[in-house]
Amino acid sequence: MLLSRVWVQPPPNPEQEDIFSSSLGALFTDDTQNSHGTPGQSVVYHSPRYGDIALEIPRHPDVEEGRKLFAHYLWNAGVLAADAIESASNDEEEELDARKVQWNKKYWDMRGKDVLELGAGTALPSLISGLSAAHSVTITDHPYSPALVADTIAHNVLHNLKINLVADGSASEPRTKTAISIHGLTWGDPLFTSPTKYGKPSSPQPAKHSFDRIIVADCLWMPSQHTNIVKTIDSNLRAKQNGAQIQAQQSDSDEEEKEEGKPVPCALVIAGFHTGRSTVARFFKIATGSSSFPPTSSTHTLVDTPAASAREQPQTSDSDKDEDEEEETSKMRGTLRAAELFEVDVDCNVRPWLPSRAGEDKHGAKRWCVVGVLVRR
């Protein structure tokens, strides 16, 4: 379903190899593609509401630091995030049977919100946020990322939103009133930097705790960065909404009902299982300080899946880390709370999140992404 929205634009005079490479998904249906595009070329994402969005794929990096970032693809987590944002950021009522996942507007509606995306790559979720009338969208990637070094993000913004972020005298009618900015950002470091001048601070700097939504799409595959991602979320997620301090969700049912439907500042985390379920579980354990997570929302239609037994739960350990890193992890552990945590596949089927699934092979795992909504305690 979702993957049919992504297609490779053929060259003007395609050769046999071009036709073959653009048809891999149709030819090998048992092996789900979890990344799309060829570094340095482009793909098209078809948005049901906004039409075709042409995405330049970041070129393959020249330096080792950039190659380790894997920004030179469009990943399924970005496609899923785009669908969630677009679906939730409008007032049209969808029939419950029209789709298997119902995205909660309380978390995914971007209208009027200040949005930050981490590790943006092609920046598809940011582009959809802009088209969905976000108040502002701040797009970031690592300073070494080819998405920044080669101006790929700036190209995608200009091509799809008609917003030129370079003052060169050219002008066109923008497709959105959303304020767009691009920065370099190293996770764990509060400094936003110039996208074109490595290490030079951006001016002005985004204020601390100034974002209503933080998009984290396919950024969990490096365990060494989990604490830094939590630190960046904690530094940038807004602490207040409509002038009132956001309170942690109470166990009392009356309190939960009172909070139902209200917009809540949150981090929207979507990730594939590239380096295993235990890696993803480790991130949520650090972020929430717990291995116990909320049940899947009743608004979702669940598919039947076998439950994991206690012996299948991964035993994560931080014993291999040095003392400084362990101290930093301890400071950040439990900073956030998981308001929602579940899994969605490429056909929009929904099932509960499990840190371990007996019998799941790599081909099955490629179909699924974990979706987490993290809020302040």
Side-chain angles (χ1 to χ4, degrees):
M1 179 180 175
L2 290 180
L3 301 192
S4 65
R5 297 182 188 176
V6 183
W7 52 281
V8 178
Q9 206 164 18
N13 299 302
E15 298 180 356
Q16 290 180 340
E17 290 81 358
D18 299 314
I19 298 174
F20 177 76
S21 62
S22 65
S23 305
L24 292 177
L27 293 173
F28 303 103
T29 56
D30 60 334
D31 188 16
T32 303
Q33 283 186 264
N34 59 4
S35 63
H36 310 274
T38 301
Q41 298 185 11
S42 63
V43 299
V44 175
Y45 172 79
H46 179 75
S47 158
R49 180 173 296 272
Y50 306 115
D52 289 345
I53 296 177
L55 300 169
E56 184 176 286
I57 302 296
R59 62 174 174 76
H60 197 272
D62 295 327
V63 295
E64 180 66 20
E65 289 85 351
R67 287 194 288 273
K68 292 177 180 177
L69 301 174
F70 289 97
H72 42 285
Y73 296 102
L74 170 64
W75 295 91
N76 282 352
V79 176
L80 193 62
D83 176 70
I85 292 165
E86 181 173 338
S87 298
S89 302
N90 71 85
D91 292 324
E92 293 182 8
E93 293 295 331
E94 293 180 306
E95 295 182 9
L96 289 180
D97 292 338
R99 55 169 51 243
K100 301 165 188 175
V101 56
Q102 303 293 319
W103 299 104
N104 194 331
K105 292 180 181 292
K106 179 178 178 179
Y107 305 121
W108 296 92
D109 188 345
M110 297 296 176
R111 290 174 293 181
K113 304 299 190 297
D114 293 306
V115 181
L116 169 67
E117 182 174 8
L118 307 182
T122 64
L124 175 60
S126 287
L127 297 175
I128 296 295
S129 296
L131 292 169
S132 298
H135 176 260
S136 70
V137 176
T138 301
I139 311 172
T140 68
D141 212 329
H142 191 279
Y144 273 121
S145 172
L148 291 178
V149 174
D151 290 334
T152 301
I153 294 176
H155 169 88
N156 289 343
V157 168
L158 176 60
H159 186 85
N160 295 287
L161 304 184
K162 308 303 179 185
I163 296 175
N164 192 353
L165 298 173
V166 180
D168 60 2
S170 62
S172 60
E173 185 65 27
R175 293 182 65 188
T176 176
K177 295 181 180 179
T178 300
I180 307 291
S181 62
I182 302 172
H183 306 269
L185 182 64
T186 301
W187 299 332
D189 189 333
L191 186 68
F192 289 74
T193 62
S194 166
T196 56
K197 298 179 180 179
Y198 183 84
K200 182 179 180 181
S202 297
S203 182
Q205 288 282 306
K208 289 189 67 175
H209 307 302
S210 61
F211 296 99
D212 305 295
R213 302 285 185 271
I214 300 179
I215 302 170
V216 187
D218 239 331
C219 297
L220 306 187
W221 51 274
M222 286 191 293
S224 63
Q225 292 301 312
H226 287 174
T227 300
N228 287 332
I229 293 173
V230 176
K231 190 175 182 180
T232 296
I233 292 172
D234 180 60
S235 296
N236 291 283
L237 190 61
R238 194 183 301 280
K240 295 181 179 182
Q241 181 76 7
N242 298 328
Q245 180 74 29
I246 294 297
Q247 301 295 326
Q249 182 177 347
Q250 305 295 318
S251 58
D252 185 274
S253 58
D254 293 335
E255 190 70 24
E256 290 183 3
E257 184 177 349
K258 189 165 59 176
E259 291 295 321
E260 184 66 28
K262 290 185 178 180
V264 176
C266 56
L268 307 169
V269 182
I270 303 181
F273 303 116
H274 312 299
T275 51
R277 284 179 171 272
S278 61
T279 299
V280 175
R282 179 184 184 276
F283 169 79
F284 287 113
K285 184 176 180 180
I286 290 174
T288 67
S290 173
S291 297
S292 300
F293 302 110
T296 307
S297 169
S298 59
T299 60
H300 303 303
T301 302
L302 298 181
V303 297
D304 291 331
T305 55
S309 65
R311 62 178 175 80
E312 292 167 351
Q313 305 305 314
Q315 301 300 315
T316 56
S317 173
D318 297 326
S319 60
D320 56 335
K321 297 187 296 185
D322 60 39
E323 292 183 3
D324 290 340
E325 185 179 357
E326 172 60 29
E327 182 179 355
E328 190 66 27
T329 298
S330 297
K331 290 179 182 177
M332 301 312 302
R333 194 182 298 275
T335 302
L336 305 168
R337 175 177 61 82
E340 289 192 349
L341 192 58
F342 53 95
E343 299 177 26
V344 180
D345 77 351
V346 294
D347 292 324
C348 291
N349 294 305
V350 183
R351 68 186 183 186
W353 153 252
L354 289 177
S356 177
R357 286 187 179 274
E360 182 180 62
D361 61 18
K362 64 178 182 179
H363 298 295
K366 285 170 69 174
R367 291 185 56 82
W368 294 87
C369 287
V370 62
V371 178
V373 177
L374 301 180
V375 300
R376 287 190 177 281
R377 286 193 176 276

